Amino acid sequence: MDAIVQLQRQFVDYTTSLYRDGFLDDQFTQLQKLQDESNPDFVVEVVNLFFEDSEKLLNNLATALQQQIVDYKQVDAHVHQFKGSSSSIGAQRVKNACVAFRNYCEERDPEGCVRCLQQLKREHYLMKSKLETLFRLEQQILAAGGSVPMMT
Amino acid sequence: MDLNSEIHEDSIQEQQKHFHVLAVDDSLIDRKLLERLLTISSYQVTCVDSGKKALEYLGLLDNTDNDSTANSSSSSCTSSSQQEVPGTKVNLIMTDYSMPEMSGYDLLKRVKGSSWKNIPVVLMSSENVPSRIDMCLEGGAEEFLLKPVQLSDLRKLQSHLLNFMDIENNNKKKKKKDDEEDDDNDDNSNNKNENNAYKRKAMSIEPSERRPNMKELVVV
């Protein structure tokens, strides 16, 4: 029983820190509401979709920015998509990185855009590793026979 | 009196159970989200990834070959009415605004200019652009929702739609009673006034009520 309580406490602390540090926002909480017995893996599924999608977007962005003549409309379209999907899962810092990126697109600033892409990659990988940690904690709780605390 | 209103409510809920929503969004993630939101709210859902596919589903495009397109496009969500001939029953369309090739606004106009003009169309967008919202509402959109769409948005939409369905039902009853086409004009004008009232409500309430995080600045 002790082990479960420990894990649950770890989970709550970790989740709280993710919200506090701005990695996650309310939309992530909304995602949890859509998960139930009939769809027990919904959050993980959506998050996995997001990371698959965003890997492609990051590659597309890198390619687009490497062109001799950069098509900023295309770059902006990719970033807009990235902004939308990160907003949909509550990945706040990723979303904010996209917002900043779009400003540089508008300025048609190639160096600014490259810097933004680097920042976006960093935020993306940070988010990925933090969510992996979170899901791992969930699995540990479930494996120990406990239930995952609901964050409200 | 009480018994009548109870029966009335039952039939509304019955109708809601079989309420079929056509969801249009080019984002796979948003389609998955929307499908889940709608399913949890007890709607039947069909998802398509473009305005063109939506028109095909509604039977509004020239090619009548519906089977291959309708099934292949609902990638991330399953249609619970796959046995039905596509395009026979849609009660509500929910569409993203920004889509390549055909925008949600274009889709709205096409639907409103067709035999499907009486079904409600709800637009969604991640961007809070008042002129865009106005344009869509003026173009006949029932509601304009800001993304990410949440359960609370659907709850509000539900009560809005129940009123909408109520009017539609009353109109149908009236049409059954009266044989004359003259009454249709009266019904339509009443309908329009009711709809305009909802649209005005959406415009005045939506922007302030809908922003859960006031700290969020809209930077495009």
Side-chain angles (χ1 to χ4, degrees):
Chain A
M1 227 20 198
D2 243 351
I4 295 177
V5 171
Q6 281 271 55
L7 286 168
Q8 286 172 330
R9 203 169 288 156
Q10 250 186 295
F11 175 83
V12 170
D13 287 343
Y14 195 68
T15 309
T16 306
S17 74
L18 290 180
Y19 282 95
R20 186 193 60 225
D21 298 338
F23 285 100
L24 296 176
D25 64 26
D26 178 64
Q27 179 59 17
F28 192 75
T29 315
Q30 297 295 322
L31 281 190
Q32 315 274 12
K33 290 187 188 170
L34 300 178
Q35 185 164 286
D36 59 22
E37 309 81 48
S38 68
N39 264 290
D41 302 315
F42 180 72
V43 180
V44 171
E45 281 167 13
V46 176
V47 168
N48 284 337
L49 266 179
F50 170 71
F51 285 117
E52 268 171 39
D53 204 37
S54 42
E55 293 279 355
K56 288 185 207 151
L57 282 172
L58 285 171
N59 287 334
N60 290 342
L61 280 168
T63 306
L65 287 176
Q66 276 156 17
Q67 301 306 308
Q68 283 277 30
I69 299 173
V70 176
D71 180 355
Y72 286 101
K73 208 170 151 217
Q74 180 68 284
V75 174
D76 186 70
H78 288 316
V79 180
H80 173 79
Q81 196 182 326
F82 208 151
K83 178 181 161 232
S85 53
S86 55
S87 165
S88 290
I89 70 155
Q92 191 176 258
R93 279 170 60 145
V94 178
K95 181 188 75 176
N96 291 340
C98 291
V99 171
F101 201 151
R102 290 191 86 189
N103 289 333
Y104 284 98
C105 282
E106 223 171 300
E107 302 288 309
R108 306 192 149 227
D109 177 351
E111 276 145 24
C113 283
V114 169
R115 278 198 306 273
C116 281
L117 178 58
Q118 295 318 311
Q119 178 65 4
L120 188 52
K121 276 187 186 164
R122 271 193 293 272
E123 291 299 339
H124 169 255
Y125 286 114
L126 258 177
M127 180 86 274
K128 193 166 182 196
S129 94
K130 286 182 183 292
L131 284 176
E132 277 168 1
T133 304
L134 189 68
F135 293 145
R136 205 165 31 241
L137 273 171
E138 276 187 3
Q139 286 309 308
Q140 284 175 317
I141 294 172
L142 293 171
S147 59
V148 179
M150 276 292 278
M151 305 296 292
T152 44
Chain B
M1 273 287 240
D2 282 318
L3 194 60
N4 281 341
S5 58
E6 254 175 52
I7 291 170
H8 182 62
E9 238 185 59
D10 278 345
S11 70
I12 291 282
Q13 272 164 28
E14 270 303 303
Q15 285 177 63
Q16 217 183 292
K17 261 187 245 167
H18 306 291
F19 216 72
H20 183 207
V21 182
L22 179 63
V24 191
D25 201 316
D26 59 315
S27 158
L28 177 58
I29 287 162
D30 287 346
R31 281 202 302 280
K32 190 169 168 83
L33 272 180
L34 199 52
E35 187 230 5
R36 190 78 192 111
L37 279 166
L38 289 167
T39 306
I40 277 191
S41 307
S42 306
Y43 296 117
Q44 292 182 347
V45 195
T46 299
C47 296
V48 294
D49 64 9
S50 71
K52 184 166 175 239
K53 299 240 175 86
L55 291 176
E56 276 172 353
Y57 190 85
L58 296 168
L60 293 178
L61 278 194
D62 288 329
N63 68 337
T64 48
D65 183 16
N66 287 321
D67 306 292
S68 51
T69 49
N71 286 331
S72 60
S73 59
S74 356
S75 46
S76 71
C77 57
T78 52
S79 165
S80 10
S81 52
Q82 255 162 3
Q83 314 91 277
E84 290 178 28
V85 174
T88 47
K89 195 179 83 83
V90 174
N91 302 104
L92 166 67
I93 297 173
M94 291 185 72
T95 177
D96 186 27
Y97 178 88
S98 324
M99 296 187 291
E101 288 171 24
M102 185 185 287
S103 74
Y105 180 75
D106 296 329
L107 179 60
L108 168 71
K109 298 304 280 179
R110 289 291 295 270
V111 168
K112 289 300 169 185
S114 76
S115 51
W116 293 96
K117 61 178 179 287
N118 289 322
I119 62 165
V121 180
V122 171
L123 273 279
M124 304 172 287
S125 175
S126 57
E127 292 170 316
N128 187 356
V129 182
S131 56
R132 176 187 293 179
I133 297 174
D134 284 345
M135 183 180 75
C136 291
L137 293 175
E138 289 305 311
E142 208 58 41
E143 279 271 13
F144 194 103
L145 299 175
L146 292 175
K147 282 178 161 186
V149 176
Q150 299 178 349
L151 276 172
S152 54
D153 295 316
L154 286 191
R155 274 197 289 270
K156 268 187 261 165
L157 187 62
Q158 246 169 0
S159 49
H160 181 134
L161 287 174
L162 286 176
N163 290 330
F164 180 90
M165 275 158 55
D166 224 2
I167 295 163
E168 289 289 301
N169 281 337
N170 287 335
N171 286 340
K172 281 185 194 151
K173 284 184 200 152
K174 266 181 128 180
K175 279 180 189 164
K176 273 186 188 162
K177 277 190 195 161
D178 316 313
D179 332 276
E180 266 16 279
E181 317 80 71
D182 293 9
D183 278 339
D184 279 2
N185 292 335
D186 292 329
D187 286 349
N188 283 340
S189 63
N190 283 340
N191 216 11
K192 237 185 178 178
N193 287 337
E194 294 291 336
N195 279 346
N196 283 337
Y198 291 129
K199 284 173 199 171
R200 279 196 289 276
K201 198 175 164 189
M203 278 170 72
S204 55
I205 290 178
E206 280 304 283
S208 51
E209 217 180 63
R210 181 57 189 80
R211 295 274 77 189
N213 306 320
M214 293 308 278
K215 295 173 261 176
E216 264 178 51
L217 292 174
V218 178
V219 179
V220 174

